[in-house]
């Protein structure tokens, strides 16, 4: 079985003061750099459908209303190598047209180039799902790919 699309094609990171965030069609992934030696008991992470709050060693790192809704019951966080917190949020709307332009409402926005690259990746990921026999992981896309690109679903085969 082939590796997932995002592993073959890479993710487009959006850098932030505390780390970075990425997205796929289904998920928003957040990586927070924390002091070496950080353990799970040092972390307070509250993940709700439209809200995120992260505190490390009593210091607020991240808090606010998410750009769009997520499935709270599927959200997870882990401490990796005692220096990174990884948060995985599952998007409620899982289509290429749902490209988050920022992590939180009015905060941690992707610059226009990064936003463009994120949208391209989501559009290619959508094409991959619609055409499983083809490999779009190394493909380039140009033209109209905003809001998920053209809709070919109603074309006859």
């Amino acid at each position: 079985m082939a590796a997932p699309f995002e592993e073959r094609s890479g993710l487009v990171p959006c850098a932030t003061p505390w780390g970075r965030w990425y997205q796929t069609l289904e998920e928003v992934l957040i990586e927070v750099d924390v002091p070496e030696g950080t353990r799970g008991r040092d972390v307070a992470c509250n993940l709700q459908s439209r809200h995120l709050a992260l505190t490390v060693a009593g210091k607020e790192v991240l808090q606010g209303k998410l750009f769009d809704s997520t499935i709270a019951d599927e959200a997870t966080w882990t401490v990796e190598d005692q220096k990174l917190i990884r948060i995985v949020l599952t998007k409620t709307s899982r289509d290429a047209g749902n490209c988050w332009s920022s992590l939180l409402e009015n905060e941690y926005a992707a610059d226009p180039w990064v936003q463009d690259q994120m949208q391209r990746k989501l559009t290619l990921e959508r094409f991959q799902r619609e055409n499983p026999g083809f490999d779009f992981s190394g493909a380039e896309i140009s033209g109209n790919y905003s809001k998920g690109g053209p809709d070919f679903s109603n074309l006859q085969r």
Side-chain angles (χ1 to χ4, degrees), residues 76-97:
T76 61
W77 66 270
T78 57
V79 178
E80 297 181 11
D81 300 325
Q82 296 187 346
K83 62 182 178 183
L84 177 78
I85 296 173
R86 185 180 313 270
I87 301 170
V88 180
L89 306 172
T90 302
K91 293 178 176 179
T92 303
S93 175
R94 300 176 198 157
D95 60 68

Side-chain angles (χ1 to χ4, degrees), residues 23 27 37 51 57 67 73 92 101-103 118 125 131-132 142:
Q23 63 183 309
E27 298 174 329
H51 190 267
F67 179 79
D73 290 347
T92 303
S101 59
S102 64
L103 179 61
M118 285 179 166
E125 188 176 352
N131 303 281
S142 62

Side-chain angles (χ1 to χ4, degrees), residues 40-116:
R41 67 175 170 249
D42 302 324
V43 178
C45 188
N46 183 0
L47 304 172
Q48 298 174 14
S49 174
R50 287 293 309 257
H51 190 267
L52 166 76
L54 175 66
T55 304
V56 178
K59 227 173 126 176
E60 184 180 284
V61 176
L62 187 57
Q63 180 175 334
K65 188 172 182 182
L66 293 167
F67 179 79
D68 201 354
S69 64
T70 62
I71 302 171
D73 290 347
E74 294 182 15
T76 61
W77 66 270
T78 57
V79 178
E80 297 181 11
D81 300 325
Q82 296 187 346
K83 62 182 178 183
L84 177 78
I85 296 173
R86 185 180 313 270
I87 301 170
V88 180
L89 306 172
T90 302
K91 293 178 176 179
T92 303
S93 175
R94 300 176 198 157
D95 60 68
N98 185 27
C99 184
W100 289 23
S101 59
S102 64
L103 179 61
L104 303 178
E105 284 189 353
N106 304 314
E107 270 190 284
Y108 311 117
D111 69 48
W113 185 86
V114 169
Q115 177 68 28
D116 182 68

